[in-house]
Amino acid sequence: MGSLAERNGYDVGLHLLDRQVIGADDRLIGKVDDIELVIDDDGALVPTALLMGLPALLPRFGPRLGGALARAHRLVREAAADQDLPLVVDFDLVEDVSSDVRLSEPGHGLLHRMAHDRAADPRRCRVGDLLGIPVRCPDLPRRSKVLDLRMVGSPDGPGEHRVESLIVGPGRPGALFGYDRRSEPGPLAVAAVVHWLHRHARIVELGEGVEIDHEAGEVRIVAGTSLAPLRG
Amino acid sequence: MKRYFAVLLGILTAIGGFVDIGDLVTNAQVGARFGTSLVGVVALGVVGICVFAEMSGRIAAVSRRATFDLVRERLGPRMGFLNLVGSMLVTLLTFIAEIGGVALALQLVSSLHHLLIVPFVAAAVWLVLWRAKFSSIENVLGLMGLALIGFAVALWQLGPDWGQLVAGVSPAEKPEGEGWATYAYFAVALFGAAMTPYEVFFFSSGGVEERWTSKDIGVMRANVFIGFPLGGLLSVAIAGCAATVFLPAGVAVETLGQVGLPVAVGIGKIGLAVVVLGFFAATFGAACETGLSTGYSLAQYFGFPWGKFVRPKEAAGFHIILLLATVVAAGVLLTGVDPIMVTEISVVFSAIALPLTYFPILVVANDPDYLGEHVNGPVANALGVFYLVVIAVAALAAIPLMAVTSMGQG
């Protein structure tokens, strides 16, 4: 199994989200329900923590359904101040990412609730908030959305991690099923259908001409910005 | 020597564990109504479950990921959850049918009404799930399930006109009194009975629990490619027995006792006793498998500790789910619902739920990130795509056929 350390970058939605998290003691801890990103002063997005638990998972069920489910979960124990705060695992603890996410510490008692001020920090956002938000760009079909975030670095290696580019296009996040980045995908019939459905999907590097508006929940791309095809 | 013995044991338990209440009931019903004209569908279903189980077993061996891990990783939380709900409902329905089947098998022996037996069966299933070792459940019940070979012996002893049975395999030999819609409905039911989704949840989760590695792929394949088809032959023998005894008399199969009756005709009381033991083992084994599968699916979706290989204390959530599922199953049966009817519904809904888990497994089986050099080859992919189409057609056709034929009455 190729570890992510052997690659040059990875897609967050495809390779990290929803993976099983396992402690150093081999205990199953939970799933990567969401990932916290810090927005640097220059707009770069840097992953800081894996988020777990229903408060991280439920909002990912979509804007309407997710909101309703999160509110319902809040009501289950209204008296608890931390009912809507997810559990946090620092990104530094991630030791290896293959078909599961291995941590460098044992699972027992590892998870803590996120602090209130951290949850309210406007400089932090979640991958789940970015996936699926609309993309406004004259060169892309109107229904385009953020389909995935591509990172540089590897979560288990040294060096910096940050979101390098966005995969954008019409469709639903996750519906590429990983057919975007392999040269010899099979079965041919399934790959052909997925490629055809995502024939308008493109990769756009973060930087000049690309603005992520976290408040409005949309991405604006200036006309003429370089859009690379998938599997380039 | 020990290794050969382990492989043989695996194959034997795969044969004995292949048949469950859905196979027993559906094959007997179909044999009694359609003769051997639907045997082709059983073969189609058996090859299908081999393809499906081999892919998920290979993924479990190489990447240590079981079915619902993959469902969530590939379909995301939202589609994955829909999938979880659908699959859980079907698995629970099958669980209810299996517990009912155990109670019916014991009713044949004790003459007590099955409702009186259900609570004890449910308690026994839960105790086994809680306390028994994974391998002992699999081996003891799988080997006891081999008693169903009685059906093959009975078919031989009944001395049917073999030429006629073989000639009847063609769909053109459908009895004239039956419509094509009913024929298609029972085809879907048989297909669902052979390719029940829980078999794959259980198989792949079991592989992860037994810590298969890529070295075990050969043994896993032997179990699947030898054990499952031989188990499928038992299904065909059940249909053949019913076709020989009931079809000429125009009798419909409505009880578990009737399923075993041709064996009594063919080889007498002892034979009947043997296959009733087989009924018990097959349904009890499948009850354990479906019960575990409810816990496996939920735990794998949410990521909390699961399995029989960790102490119950360390997988408390998993064991609570098993307990709840058993209580719910017993509760549903105690309403007096007919377990045979639950079985009939469960096999059709199995066919409907199948694409939900089949598709993500097919995609991941092609993903070198998970499987490295063990990705699907051209043959596995050709079969994989063929079955993707077959499964999709069966799933789409199931509900309209169910409505048109009033669940096979028409």
Side-chain angles (χ1 to χ4, degrees), chain B residues 99-338:
Chain B
I99 290 187
V102 180
L104 289 179
L106 292 175
Q107 181 180 4
L108 292 176
V109 186
S110 65
S111 301
L112 283 172
H113 193 278
H114 75 265
L115 283 184
L116 289 173
I117 308 174
V118 162
F120 297 98
V121 174
V125 167
W126 177 69
L127 265 179
V128 167
L129 294 184
W130 183 35
R131 303 300 303 189
K133 266 172 63 184
F134 188 88
S135 54
S136 18
I137 303 177
E138 209 178 13
N139 294 342
V140 171
L141 293 167
L143 290 178
M144 271 165 71
L146 288 174
L148 291 174
I149 291 174
F151 275 101
V153 180
L155 184 59
W156 168 54
Q157 284 291 315
L158 283 168
D161 181 344
W162 292 102
Q164 204 183 341
L165 273 189
V166 172
V169 168
S170 152
E173 298 297 318
K174 168 184 74 74
E176 282 175 15
E178 304 283 0
W180 281 110
T182 326
Y183 182 85
Y185 172 79
F186 277 102
V188 170
L190 268 183
F191 188 68
M195 282 193 81
T196 324
Y198 84 82
E199 290 167 1
V200 171
F201 305 162
F202 177 76
F203 189 69
S204 66
S205 307
V208 174
E209 290 231 58
E210 291 181 325
R211 299 193 169 274
W212 288 350
T213 62
S214 42
K215 288 196 197 94
D216 297 305
I217 291 181
V219 177
M220 181 274 293
R221 282 190 174 140
N223 291 350
V224 170
F225 292 139
I226 304 174
F228 286 14
L230 289 177
L233 278 184
L234 292 183
S235 294
V236 174
I238 295 168
C241 281
T244 311
V245 173
F246 295 124
L247 183 63
V251 176
V253 172
E254 274 150 12
T255 65
L256 190 61
Q258 281 176 298
V259 177
L261 194 60
V263 180
V265 177
I267 41 180
K269 257 194 257 175
I270 302 286
L272 184 61
V274 170
V275 295
V276 170
L277 177 72
F279 288 168
F280 171 79
T283 49
F284 201 96
C288 294
E289 294 178 10
T290 43
L292 285 172
S293 295
T294 58
Y296 287 147
S297 338
L298 262 175
Q300 284 161 13
Y301 179 87
F302 287 105
F304 54 81
W306 53 270
K308 292 286 300 158
F309 274 50
V310 291
R311 284 194 301 275
K313 213 168 78 179
E314 286 173 21
F318 175 74
H319 281 278
I320 289 172
I321 294 166
L322 299 188
L323 177 60
L324 286 179
T326 318
V327 169
V328 168
V332 170
L333 284 165
L334 288 177
T335 60
V337 63
D338 179 12

Side-chain angles (χ1 to χ4, degrees), chain A:
Chain A
M1 159 108 12
S3 159
L4 288 184
E6 294 158 20
R7 339 160 166 271
N8 177 26
Y10 59 101
D11 293 352
V12 179
L14 183 65
H15 294 119
L16 201 51
L17 271 184
D18 298 313
R19 297 282 167 131
Q20 180 74 50
V21 180
I22 301 181
D25 52 356
D26 272 348
R27 248 180 102 81
L28 304 181
I29 296 176
K31 296 276 177 179
V32 181
D33 288 321
D34 211 336
I35 295 156
E36 184 194 56
L37 301 169
V38 162
I39 309 164
D40 267 1
D41 296 333
D42 57 353
L45 298 168
V46 179
T48 44
L50 309 179
L51 306 180
M52 286 186 211
L54 290 179
L57 174 65
L58 294 177
R60 288 186 54 218
F61 276 64
R64 259 174 303 172
L65 180 64
L69 287 174
R71 276 193 299 280
H73 178 252
R74 182 82 191 78
L75 287 177
V76 171
R77 209 164 45 134
E78 236 185 338
D82 60 358
Q83 180 73 0
D84 50 1
L85 297 175
L87 297 161
V88 181
V89 176
D90 262 353
F91 213 68
D92 300 340
L93 294 182
V94 175
E95 192 169 79
D96 183 40
V97 177
S98 54
S99 67
D100 46 34
V101 177
R102 291 213 166 247
L103 303 182
S104 55
E105 285 189 17
H108 187 78
L110 182 72
L111 300 176
H112 289 280
R113 290 271 165 209
M114 185 183 266
H116 279 277
D117 48 351
R118 182 169 176 179
D121 186 351
R123 291 195 312 118
R124 292 173 194 266
C125 67
R126 295 182 191 177
V127 168
D129 299 333
L130 292 177
L131 292 179
I133 61 171
V135 175
R136 316 265 176 234
C137 173
D139 303 336
L140 283 169
R142 277 207 313 167
R143 292 172 297 104
S144 292
K145 293 174 185 153
V146 176
L147 299 180
D148 211 336
L149 311 177
R150 191 158 284 183
M151 294 262 193
V152 286
S154 60
D156 42 342
E160 76 167 329
H161 313 276
R162 68 186 161 76
V163 179
E164 172 200 42
S165 47
L166 306 176
I167 299 177
V168 295
R172 200 172 55 79
L176 275 161
F177 299 117
Y179 283 105
D180 54 328
R181 56 177 305 155
R182 261 172 279 125
S183 47
E184 73 281 359
L188 280 177
V190 177
V193 171
V194 174
H195 283 153
W196 183 79
L197 286 174
H198 289 94
R199 60 199 178 282
H200 299 299
R202 294 288 181 272
I203 301 171
V204 56
E205 273 192 40
L206 286 183
E208 198 76 7
V210 181
E211 186 199 352
I212 301 176
D213 187 336
H214 293 278
E215 271 170 32
E218 65 173 31
V219 175
R220 286 184 288 272
I221 302 175
V222 179
T225 308
S226 143
L227 300 170
L230 297 179
R231 297 202 300 154

